[in-house]
């Protein structure tokens, strides 16, 4: 008992070997679980969401009044495809959707395999849009990516979107699958809002580049009154609209980036204090995109004014209101037609 007894090892060599095997198995299981776990789902860029569908020649004739009564608020219509293909039902769908009072947008199905071809298709789409009236962002539908690298696909998409925005003065949007958004299109394309297709999950599973979605196509087997057979169904955020777009009949307004309470009050012929009181806003200088404001009953946008939004150009506003850049510049004493800013309230010609 007089000497110090040797301290036994915590684990023998054999024990260490067993531990190593256990840890290896544990790490392997963790890796398999990580592989099996779904990608993180994107959240919408704002709420509330708008119920939509997208259609083409494949849906044939549509009863848009029945679709509206079934809850459809937004319809995206295929305008064309490639460098000259026009959807056979473009005019029929367009006139029907307008008559039903739906929010309307158009998309172009891309076939381009080079940036030059993409720009040519964008010019064709822009020419089509010049003959149409719509309140939703024009959309690039990019799906045919077989044989392309991510860099090639991204360059083609960016070329189309840049050309389209330059020609129309309107900020577009890109439609693609959640997989291609994650693996085929890079951050150069993520400058534009995403409309992602992903069937099954409650939110699109996009793992890279985008942090939110403006559109979510959640099934290609939807059913809607007034549409024969299956139809693509979508949810959209207010980001798809060029200007405010409350649900039909609702006395609400969804705040957009660049809005001020003063600008909204002026647009709806009310006062800042009335809006602040109705919405329990303590600080009238603090509102945020996606916030849904209650409006005084019966409030409607003031005739003869337009509040500039982020991405607007004077050319685009003039085209939207059937006037000219020079008329708007003169009426609003704008010295440089290329310089307007979000929140600026423009008078419109009578």
């Amino acid at each position: 008992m007089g000497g110090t007894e040797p301290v036994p090892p915590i684990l023998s060599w054999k024990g260490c070997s067993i531990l190593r095997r256990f840890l290896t198995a544990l790490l392997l299981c963790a890796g398999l679980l990580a592989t099996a776990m779904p990608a993180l789902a994107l959240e919408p860029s704002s709420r509330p969401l708008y119920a939509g569908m997208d259609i083409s020649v494949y849906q044939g004739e549509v009863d848009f009044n029945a679709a509206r009564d079934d809850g459809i608020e937004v319809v995206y219509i295929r305008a064309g495809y490639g460098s000259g293909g026009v959807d056979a039902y473009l005019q029929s769908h367009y006139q029907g959707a307008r008559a039903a009072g739906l929010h309307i947008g158009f998309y172009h199905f891309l076939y381009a395999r080079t940036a030059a071809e993409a720009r040519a298709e964008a010019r064709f789409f822009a020419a089509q849009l010049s003959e149409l009236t719509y309140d939703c962002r024009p959309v690039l539908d990019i799906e045919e990516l077989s044989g392309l690298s991510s860099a090639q696909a991204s360059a083609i998409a960016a070329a189309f979107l840049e050309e389209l925005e330059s020609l129309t003065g309107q900020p577009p949007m890109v439609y693609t699958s959640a997989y291609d958004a994650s693996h085929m299109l890079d951050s150069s394309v993520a400058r534009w809002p995403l409309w992602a297709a992903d069937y099954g999950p409650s939110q699109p599973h996009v793992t890279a580049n985008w942090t939110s979605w403006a559109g979510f196509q959640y099934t290609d087997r939807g059913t809607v009154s007034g549409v024969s057979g299956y139809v693509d169904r979508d949810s959209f955020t207010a980001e798809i609209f060029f200007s405010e777009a409350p649900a039909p009949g609702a006395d609400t307004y969804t705040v957009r980036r660049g809005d001020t309470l003063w600008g909204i009050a002026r647009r709806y012929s009310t006062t800042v204090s009335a809006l602040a009181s109705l919405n329990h806003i303590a600080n009238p200088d603090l509102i945020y995109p996606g916030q849904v404001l209650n409006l005084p009953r019966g409030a409607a946008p003031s005739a003869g004014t337009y509040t500039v939004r982020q991405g607007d150009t004077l050319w685009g506003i003039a085209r939207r209101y059937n006037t000219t850049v020079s008329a708007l510049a003169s009426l609003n004493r704008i010295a440089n037609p290329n310089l307007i800013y979000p929140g600026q309230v423009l008078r419109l010609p009578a």
Side-chain angles (χ1 to χ4, degrees):
M1 298 290 296
T4 302
E5 294 185 3
V7 178
I10 295 174
L11 283 174
S12 65
W13 180 89
K14 182 178 180 182
C16 287
S17 177
I18 293 171
L19 179 61
R20 281 197 299 271
R21 287 199 294 270
F22 172 76
L23 290 174
T24 299
L26 188 62
L27 289 172
L28 179 61
C29 289
L32 290 172
L33 284 172
T35 302
M37 288 177 65
L40 293 177
L42 288 189
E43 291 295 321
S45 59
S46 66
R47 293 185 185 276
L49 301 179
Y50 298 83
M53 64 180 182
D54 56 276
I55 58 175
S56 68
V57 64
Y58 301 109
Q59 276 66 53
E61 293 293 344
V62 173
D63 182 341
F64 288 95
N65 289 326
R68 178 200 60 209
D69 294 343
D70 198 21
I72 294 296
E73 299 168 280
V74 178
V75 58
Y76 262 95
I77 300 167
R78 187 176 74 163
Y81 48 90
S83 59
V86 178
D87 190 285
Y89 277 80
L90 169 60
Q91 285 300 323
S92 173
H93 288 163
Y94 171 53
Q95 298 300 337
R98 285 192 72 187
L102 296 173
H103 297 297
I104 299 174
F106 296 95
Y107 70 92
H108 176 89
F109 191 96
L110 191 76
Y111 281 120
R113 307 298 286 179
T114 67
E117 290 176 354
R119 285 189 286 270
E121 290 195 33
R123 290 191 289 272
F124 169 62
F125 187 29
Q128 287 186 291
L129 292 174
S130 68
E131 304 297 324
L132 303 166
T133 300
Y134 49 98
D135 61 345
C136 301
R137 293 173 184 257
V139 170
L140 161 64
D141 178 354
I142 182 165
E143 303 178 44
E144 297 292 334
L145 301 178
S146 59
L148 296 174
S149 67
S150 172
Q152 290 171 325
S154 299
I156 289 168
F160 181 98
L161 292 162
E162 287 170 353
E163 184 77 4
L164 182 65
E165 187 163 6
S166 173
L167 291 169
T168 64
Q170 298 163 342
M173 181 165 64
V174 57
Y175 165 92
T176 194
S177 69
Y179 177 87
D180 286 340
S182 302
H183 302 286
M184 291 299 292
L185 300 179
D186 62 26
S187 58
S188 68
V189 185
R191 291 177 285 163
W192 292 277
L194 175 67
W195 175 7
D198 200 0
Y199 307 149
S202 60
Q203 301 287 353
H205 290 166
V206 177
T207 60
N209 303 316
W210 282 272
T211 57
S212 63
W213 56 263
F216 173 29
Q217 186 185 88
Y218 54 86
T219 183
D220 61 350
R221 298 176 70 82
T223 56
V224 173
S225 296
V227 182
S228 299
Y230 293 125
V231 65
D232 295 338
R233 287 299 314 272
D234 309 276
S235 291
F236 294 107
T237 74
E239 193 173 7
I240 69 169
F241 300 118
F242 290 130
S243 58
E244 72 282 348
D251 292 327
T252 62
Y253 172 77
T254 302
V255 176
R256 305 290 302 280
R257 188 178 304 165
D259 272 340
T260 65
L261 207 60
W262 180 87
I264 297 168
R266 178 168 178 176
R267 193 177 315 152
Y268 284 90
S269 301
T270 184
T271 64
V272 170
S273 59
L275 285 177
S277 174
L278 188 60
N279 293 278
H280 307 289
I281 296 173
N283 182 356
D285 295 323
L286 186 60
I287 57 176
Y288 54 89
Q291 182 177 0
V292 179
L293 301 179
N294 294 309
L295 300 173
R297 186 172 298 277
S302 301
T305 64
Y306 174 79
T307 302
V308 177
R309 318 305 293 272
Q310 186 165 330
D312 274 340
T313 65
L314 208 59
W315 182 90
I317 297 168
R319 180 176 172 276
R320 197 175 313 155
Y321 287 93
N322 297 315
T323 185
T324 64
V325 169
S326 59
L328 284 177
S330 174
L331 187 61
N332 293 278
R333 300 179 182 177
I334 296 173
N336 182 356
N338 295 318
L339 185 60
I340 57 176
Y341 54 88
Q344 182 177 0
V345 178
L346 301 179
R347 295 171 60 199
L348 301 173

